[in-house]
Each structure stands twice: as C-alpha cells, then as structure tokens.
C-alpha cells in the first residue's frame, strides 16, 4: 500500500512540478534574454540618454496621474457595483470591457469620442479644447485601459465585506455612506492599494491605446513603451536598455503590490 | 410599549409570533437553536422585512405589512447586541463603543467620553485602547454591549448577551443592562438558550418552538404549569434570586422570598441560586439527614419526562423535582399531595 501510495504521489507530484517548471522557464528565459544582451555600461548610458529621461519622466508622471484618477473615480464606482441593483450585471460588463478589448481599439474609440471630429470632441473644440496628441490624452488612454483592473479588484473586495458588520452599523444609526467610510473602507486599504499598484503597472506599460489616441511626440506623449518601440526600429541596443529600465520598474511595482498586500516580499 | 406581530417565511422555516414588552421591562425569549429567536430580533431591528404583521414602538410604527411600511434600521430607536458580537475589528474598543453616537453626528470627543463611561460601567475601561479584533470573546461581548448601550436605545435587543462571559462575572454586567432598561424606560428582548439566564433577566419568559411562542409567563408559571413536556424540561430549573449573608463554617445563607437557602462557600450581596431538579429528594414526611435545605409544599403538577416525572411543588420557595416514575408511584405522589423537598447545600450553584 505504502509503496503504491508513494508511487501515485510521485506521478501526481510530477504532474504539478513539470508544468510549473516549464512555465517559470518560459518567463525567466525571455526576461534573461534582455539582460544577457545588455552590459551594465549600456544600461547606465541608457538611463543617461535624454530620450529615456524624457520618456521615463513622462511615463511616471502620467501613470501616477492616471492612478490618482482611477482611485478617486473607481472606488465609488466599485462600491456601487458591489451593491445589488437592476442592470448591475450589464454595467459591470461594460466597465470591464476595456480589459478584453485590444488597446488599439480602445485608442480608436477614444479618438472617435474625443478627437477633433468626435462625439464630444466637436463640442470641446468649440470651447478651444483639443485633447488628441496631448499629455492629457496619454492619461486618458491609460485610465481607459487600466481602470477596469482596479475596479474589478475593488468591487470584489466591497462585495465580500462582512454583512454582519454592515447590519451592526445600521442598528447604530449609521448611514450607508458613513458605514462605507468608517467600517468597510479602512480594513480594505492595503488590498485596495494593491489593486491600485496593479492598475499603475498596467498604465506604465500602456502602448496601443496611447499611440493611437495620443501619438508619439517626444516629451509630450512619448512614454517609455513607445520609446522602446521607436528605439527598436533603429537601434536595438538602446531599445534593450530602455526595456530593461522598464522591467526593473515593473518588478519594483509588483514587489510593492506583494508588500502592501501584506505578504512579505521575499523576492527583493 | 413594544408591540410586534410577525409572520415571516424563510425557505422552509415559518415564524409566526406575537410579542409585547412594556417600557422599562424585559422579556426573555428562550428556545432551542433554530426555534426562530434570532429571526424575531432581526425583524424588530429592521434587518429582516417580515411578510406579514406589524411592529410598533409607542406611537411610532416601524413596520406595517398592510400599509407596505418598513422603516429602515437606522431610523428605529433600537439597539442590538449580536450573538456573534459583530464588532468593527479594525477599531479600538472605545471607537466601537462611540460609533453609534458619532454616526448620529455627535462630535468625536464627546462620543468617546460617553463611550468611556459605559466601558467603565461594564468594568472594561482598561480595554479602551485595544483593537476589537485582538480581544477575547468575553471581552468582545462586553464591548458589543457597551456599543449598543451608549446610544441609550428605547428598544434593546440582546442576542445571547452574556454567553461568552464567565459565570462569576455576569452579575455586575446583568445589573448594568437592567439599570439601562430602567433609566431609559426601554423595552428589552433577551434571546437566550439558557433558561437560567432568561429567569435572571426578565419577569416574563416566552418559550419558542419551531417558530412559534408555545408559552409565556413568569418563571414560576412555566415551572408550575408547563404547557408541554418541552417547556417543563426547558424551564424546570429551580432558580432563586436573593441576598446572601456569610455564616460560620464556610457556608452562607441566602434570603429568598420568605425562605432561607443554605449554600456552601462564602457569599454576600445579591446572588442567584440554581438547584438542579435531579438533586431534589421528595418525601412524604420530614427526614432526618445531613441535607441542609428542606421545604414543605403541595404538588401542583406532574409531567412525564422520559423515565422520570417532573414534580412541581408549590411552597416557599416553589421547587421542581425530577424523580423516577417508580418512586413517584411508590410514594403515591399526585397533584394536591403535601410533600417535603430536600437538597444539600453543596448542590446549590451560586452565581
């Protein structure tokens, strides 16, 4: 019996370990390829090149701005989506749609809505506001693509709030808003921050919607991913350097997610 | 007065009961788990909307099925202590207790001051700065009581309010609750599965079975004239409230209405004495024995209980004994027969 049980354990163990190992190798090998092609000197040079500086600065500023917007608008929306009402399912599908949509399609949609000839764009141009190919457009593209990630996380957190605590608050004469503010939200702050960091990382890597709606103007709309793409057309070496810089940032973001979410970041 | 006529269907379960509690009074609702006690409280609090009936406190109607009226829990002058406490785990004990007043717009410092007083009344002011999630269940239960009492609700709903508190620490907590009921002229409903707790809290007891109130009355009514074997088994515990005086040789005497009960241990002040019916010996004549407590009385009812019979004896004090059917037959016990009930001082549980 023992021998057979152990043999079965071995088979099941292999069925778990082998696919996991292949998965890890696939990711690690691709990322290692970036590092193998790069000398530390090149990386240093890349960080000093003005294009990278500009792109890095723009990426950080725009992605942080989008994250802030996502937090301010996404949190109440997630709270609404967590309470049952008619048409909630349809609304939730609509809000999460940008996750499955190719980003380029998202960029096109933004262009048709806010572009010079767009639905709202025409009205905006009458008051002298033109959004496409501005830094604001970069932020809009990032919000469009990455907000659903945060809203999904936040909605699920709100939906799983302890019903008994909500009931207790109700018997203590607390309004629903007051309850949300003092009972539901505070314990969720770490997990919500984790969701925000995830959205921020997605905004940092945003490419398709940005280049479609905001274009590729160095210093104005050329973010890190676009800079990598452009560099790869002409000079693969500097493209790799920028790519590695982006990878380091993304890695730091994920470590931050794990740390904020309460799990010790053992991979630092 | 709190008046509630409630009909509610939950899956296959049906609750149909009436409840009336006067201001300044408490009613205990007892019954096995699943009898519908908590459901009743949830309806009164407004957390559950009944299918039929009405609920009103004084002139304020909280629920009326015919008028499709359902006042939300926030707008009912009603406080509830949940069986599972439901404290806000990330807040301190003090912030938990102050929550209700702050939610109603009172300034944080004033709310905390009042909350601190109630924590002190319950003997837990030393826990004020501790996070609720880090407290033991007995401590959490007292914080939950404080949180409800701070708002001075006119209707007080308590679901197993002392279940997690050590027996010897219950009397002062019970006193705080009783004082709050009197001071606020509140109507209190205490749900418990512990008949002794029910008797200690309230003058009127409702026994619930399968979603219905099967009997209501004073503890003595239920003991002496139980409506069913279930009620007899449930409420047939002898429980006396009185004032204890320590006496020599490690015993104390408890004065209850017109009689003195001898108990072991040194006790003083208000206490409750509980005597298990199985510990009571019934005889036709006074017997010479080592037992310290012996009382005369007349049998009022005899209810079969398995292989035994519950014998209710009216006297001072009234006593219920549980004897085997054979002994009952041999002694010729029947309603109207005068007997003597005897039990040892060490068989009296004091709390």
């Amino acid at each position: 019996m023992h021998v057979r049980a152990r043999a079965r354990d071995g088979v099941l163990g292999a069925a778990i370990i082998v696919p996991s190992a292949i998965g890890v190798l696939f990711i690690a090998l691709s990322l290692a390829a970036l590092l193998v092609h790069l000398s530390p000197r090149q990386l240093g040079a890349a960080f000093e090149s003005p294009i990278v500086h500009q792109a890095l600065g723009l990426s950080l500023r725009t992605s942080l701005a989008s994250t802030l917007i996502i937090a301010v608008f996404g949190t109440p929306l997630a709270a609404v989506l967590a309470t049952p009402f008619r048409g909630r399912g349809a609304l939730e599908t609509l809000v999460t749609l940008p996750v499955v949509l190719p980003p380029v399609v998202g960029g096109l949609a933004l262009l048709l809505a806010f572009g010079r000839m767009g639905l709202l764009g025409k009205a905006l141009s009458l008051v002298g506001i033109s959004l496409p190919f501005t830094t604001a457009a970069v932020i809009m593209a990032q919000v469009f693509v990455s907000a659903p990630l945060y809203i999904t996380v936040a909605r699920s957190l709100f939906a799983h709030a302890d019903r008994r605590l909500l009931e207790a608050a109700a018997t203590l004469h607390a309004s629903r808003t007051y309850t949300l503010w003092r009972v539901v939200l505070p314990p969720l702050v770490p997990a919500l921050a984790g969701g925000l960091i995830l959205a921020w990382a997605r905004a940092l890597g945003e490419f398709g919607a940005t280049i479609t709606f905001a274009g590729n103007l160095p210093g104005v709309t050329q973010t890190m991913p676009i800079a990598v793409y452009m560099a790869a057309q002409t000079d693969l070496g500097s493209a790799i350097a920028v790519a590695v810089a982006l990878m380091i940032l993304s890695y730091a973001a994920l470590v931050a997610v794990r740390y904020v979410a309460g799990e010790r970041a053992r991979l630092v | 007065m709190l008046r509630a006529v409630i009909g509610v269907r939950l899956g296959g379960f049906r609750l149909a009961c009436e409840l009336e509690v006067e201001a300044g009074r408490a009613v205990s609702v007892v019954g096995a788990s699943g009898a519908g006690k908590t459901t009743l409280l949830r309806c009164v609090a407004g957390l559950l909307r009944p299918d039929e009936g009405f609920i009103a406190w004084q002139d304020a109607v909280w629920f009326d099925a015919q008028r499709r009226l359902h006042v939300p829990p926030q707008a009912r002058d009603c406080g509830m202590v949940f069986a599972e406490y439901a404290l806000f785990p990330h807040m301190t004990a003090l912030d938990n207790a102050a929550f209700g007043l702050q939610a109603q717009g009172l300034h944080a410092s004033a709310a905390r001051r009042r909350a601190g007083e109630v924590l002190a009344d319950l003997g837990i002011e030393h826990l004020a700065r501790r996070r609720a999630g880090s407290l033991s269940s007995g401590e959490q239960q007292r914080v939950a009581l404080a949180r409800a009492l701070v708002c001075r609700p006119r209707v007080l709903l308590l679901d197993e309010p002392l279940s997690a508190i050590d027996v010897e620490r219950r009397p002062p907590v019970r006193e705080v609750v009783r004082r709050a009921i009197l001071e606020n002229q509140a109507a209190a409903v205490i749900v418990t599965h512990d008949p002794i707790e029910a008797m200690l809290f309230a003058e009127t007891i409702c026994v619930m079975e399968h979603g219905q109130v099967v009997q209501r009355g004073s503890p003595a009514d239920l003991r002496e004239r139980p409506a069913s074997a279930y009620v007899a088994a449930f409420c047939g515990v002898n429980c006396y409230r009185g004032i204890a005086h320590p006496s020599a040789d490690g015993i104390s005497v408890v004065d209850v209405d017109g009689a003195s009960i001898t108990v072991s241990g040194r006790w003083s002040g208000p206490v409750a004495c509980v005597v298990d019916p199985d510990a009571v010996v019934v005889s036709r004549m006074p017997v010479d024995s080592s037992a310290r407590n012996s009382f005369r009385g007349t049998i009022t009812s005899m209810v079969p209980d398995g292989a035994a019979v519950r014998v209710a004896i009216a006297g001072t004090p009234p006593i219920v004994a549980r004897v085997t059917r054979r002994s009952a037959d041999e002694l010729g016990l029947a309603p109207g027969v005068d007997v003597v009930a005897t039990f040892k001082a060490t068989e009296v549980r004091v709390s």
Side-chain angles (χ1 to χ4, degrees), chain A residues 164-165 167 171 173-174 182, chain B residues 42 74 76 84 87 90:
Chain A
R164 291 170 305 176
L165 299 189
E167 292 185 345
T171 66
H173 315 289
R182 283 208 58 201
Chain B
R42 290 173 58 80
Q74 286 90 342
R76 301 185 182 197
E84 61 277 17
L87 292 182
H90 59 286

Side-chain angles (χ1 to χ4, degrees), chain A residues 163-176 178-179 182-184 186-187, chain B residues 42 47 73-74 76 78 80 82 84 86-91 99-100 102-104 147:
Chain A
R163 272 193 62 85
R164 291 170 305 176
L165 299 189
L166 305 185
E167 292 185 345
T171 66
L172 292 163
H173 315 289
S175 69
R176 286 170 70 148
Y178 189 81
T179 305
R182 283 208 58 201
V183 176
V184 180
Chain B
R42 290 173 58 80
L47 299 172
Q74 286 90 342
R76 301 185 182 197
C78 181
M80 182 155 174
F82 294 81
E84 61 277 17
L87 292 182
F88 308 124
H90 59 286
M91 292 185 204
F99 183 88
Q102 278 186 270
Q104 289 172 82
R147 186 177 66 175

